[in-house]
Amino acid sequence: MKAPLIFLLVDFLTAPVPKPVTCVILLGVVFGTHAGTSSPNVLFIAAGTSLQWLLRPQQRRRFRESQDGPSMSTPAALPKTAEIRLAHSPDSDDAFMFYALATGKVRLPGVKFNHILSDIESLNQAARNEVYDVTAISFYAYPFVADKYVLLDCGASFGEGYGPIVVAGHPLKKTDLAGRKIAIPGDLTTSYLALKLFEPNVETVTMPFDKILEAVQNKEVEAGLLIHEGQLLFSQMGLHRVVDLGQWWQETTGLPLPLGANAIRRKLGSELGRQIARVIRESVSYALEHRESALNYALQFARDMDPVLADKFVGMYVNRWTLDYGEEGRRAVRELLARGAAIGMLPSSVPIEFLSSNDGATPSHAAQNF
């Protein structure tokens, strides 16, 4: 028995025991010797085992850890989490697109996304001041902030034979728009650029996109340029379509009309940028593969639309183009901006850059299906 007892004694004495315990143990040794104890080692061990209960709870915990090492319940240091401000519009198509990311179905380790909802024209203006890390942006607005942001190759909205619609309170030929007063949803929106490409000689007045239908109905303006769900609701209000600019664009160029994109701050760097682009692409893919649950989530943002109409609207703007522009989509973007530069609405020397999220990984089922 001597050898194990000596081992425990040495282990005990070399441990960082709190001072109060040391004092009590020394008294115990004197007491044990005076009492004629034949094995003072046993007394040391008994003292070390029992006298810890004379300490306060915090001191007892430190004492036990000095004997056995740190407790298993000791929390480990957590890695620092980066917060990314992700801004997009409060519409059912964007809600559908970001459903998986907003609800934690897909994640980017080490990154927390804070979702900010705002209308597209406000986001266009905010991009000029580099307010958000990742932002929805009109393609027309991008050249004005290209020094601050780079386009992501996923999460975009294209109109394939459809797009922003000009409506009027009475039947009007599209050749009769020149000189008319038309309400627009913002002077940095792609819809405004498309309108000016179609008919340069119009007078415009800017107002919130969700006020345009009412303004046309009340004859405050002669016509209105509709985006979002207004494209599907105008006929219910007795208004008349003058021209669908997405249809006109495709007939003119043979290309889809690029409307809105996602852009990321250059200051975040290309590595983090690609990781963010990848998780956004995964979010879009997840929504397309889990359409019912994603649509149910998006319905809370479907202003005045029933589920059938909301499903149609989401299908118009979250599709194969949203997963990846592809070469045709990139060509459409360059064509749109080149035509804008040709009529003096854009600078002609701005390079259009796309940050790719596709690093050669196997495409998702949604991408394969498309």
Side-chain angles (χ1 to χ4, degrees), residues 251-322:
E251 291 172 352
T252 303
T253 66
L255 296 168
L257 177 60
L259 295 167
N262 284 312
I264 188 166
R265 292 176 66 214
R266 293 181 181 274
K267 289 181 180 178
L268 294 180
S270 59
E271 182 179 352
L272 179 57
R274 286 191 177 90
Q275 291 175 2
I276 292 173
R278 196 172 302 124
V279 78
I280 291 176
R281 190 169 187 263
E282 289 173 0
S283 184
V284 175
S285 181
Y286 186 96
L288 291 170
E289 292 172 0
H290 301 81
R291 188 176 189 86
E292 185 177 355
S293 56
L295 187 61
N296 286 336
Y297 172 82
L299 282 173
Q300 62 187 302
F301 302 96
R303 294 174 295 265
D304 301 323
M305 288 193 289
D306 59 42
V308 174
L309 207 58
D311 186 34
K312 179 180 179 180
F313 178 69
V314 166
M316 290 169 63
Y317 293 114
V318 186
N319 44 46
R320 67 188 180 104
W321 303 105
T322 316

Side-chain angles (χ1 to χ4, degrees), residues 27 126 193 211 280:
L27 288 172
L193 173 60
K211 302 297 182 184
I280 291 176

Side-chain angles (χ1 to χ4, degrees), residues 67-348:
Q67 302 302 300
D68 302 323
S71 167
M72 289 295 290
S73 63
T74 303
L78 296 175
K80 186 176 180 181
T81 299
E83 292 197 6
I84 297 296
R85 303 188 75 196
L86 171 61
H88 53 87
S89 64
D91 304 301
S92 53
D93 55 337
D94 275 13
F96 182 91
M97 186 188 314
F98 290 109
Y99 158 68
L101 194 58
T103 58
K105 301 294 188 297
V106 299
R107 298 176 184 272
L108 180 58
V111 173
K112 176 185 177 183
F113 289 96
N114 294 324
H115 294 255
I116 297 97
L117 306 183
S118 187
D119 69 276
I120 189 61
E121 181 63 5
S122 296
L123 295 180
N124 289 335
Q125 299 293 345
R128 286 185 153 178
N129 296 318
E130 208 171 349
V131 174
Y132 304 115
D133 298 307
V134 183
T135 183
I137 192 170
S138 297
F139 277 108
Y140 173 41
Y142 174 69
F144 299 108
V145 298
D147 59 326
K148 302 179 179 71
Y149 289 89
V150 61
L151 292 172
L152 300 183
D153 70 344
C154 58
S157 296
F158 286 74
E160 192 168 12
Y162 50 82
I165 296 175
V166 179
V167 299
H170 59 276
L172 190 66
K173 293 180 180 179
K174 58 185 178 182
T175 53
D176 292 337
L177 281 179
R180 304 279 183 175
K181 184 179 182 180
I182 302 176
I184 63 169
D187 56 12
L188 283 177
T189 62
T190 305
S191 61
Y192 174 57
L193 173 60
L195 174 63
K196 295 289 281 185
L197 289 171
F198 175 76
E199 176 52 72
N201 300 313
V202 291
E203 179 187 350
T204 60
V205 53
T206 301
M207 63 178 63
F209 74 91
D210 55 351
K211 302 297 182 184
I212 293 178
L213 281 171
E214 185 179 346
V216 176
Q217 194 174 41
N218 294 337
K219 299 182 180 180
E220 297 172 24
V221 290
E222 296 175 89
L225 179 58
L226 304 181
I227 59 174
H228 301 317
E229 70 277 1
Q231 299 168 63
L232 300 179
L233 297 175
F234 70 91
S235 60
Q236 299 176 15
M237 300 180 66
L239 303 181
H240 302 267
R241 178 170 62 182
V242 180
V243 61
D244 184 322
L245 295 172
Q247 181 181 4
W248 164 78
W249 173 263
Q250 188 173 61
E251 291 172 352
T252 303
T253 66
L255 296 168
L257 177 60
L259 295 167
N262 284 312
I264 188 166
R265 292 176 66 214
R266 293 181 181 274
K267 289 181 180 178
L268 294 180
S270 59
E271 182 179 352
L272 179 57
R274 286 191 177 90
Q275 291 175 2
I276 292 173
R278 196 172 302 124
V279 78
I280 291 176
R281 190 169 187 263
E282 289 173 0
S283 184
V284 175
S285 181
Y286 186 96
L288 291 170
E289 292 172 0
H290 301 81
R291 188 176 189 86
E292 185 177 355
S293 56
L295 187 61
N296 286 336
Y297 172 82
L299 282 173
Q300 62 187 302
F301 302 96
R303 294 174 295 265
D304 301 323
M305 288 193 289
D306 59 42
V308 174
L309 207 58
D311 186 34
K312 179 180 179 180
F313 178 69
V314 166
M316 290 169 63
Y317 293 114
V318 186
N319 44 46
R320 67 188 180 104
W321 303 105
T322 316
L323 278 171
D324 193 319
Y325 297 18
E327 186 50 44
E328 186 178 6
R330 289 174 172 79
R331 186 156 56 91
V333 173
R334 295 188 179 100
E335 181 67 21
L336 174 72
L337 301 183
R339 290 186 178 227
I343 63 171
M345 290 185 65
L346 283 170
S348 58

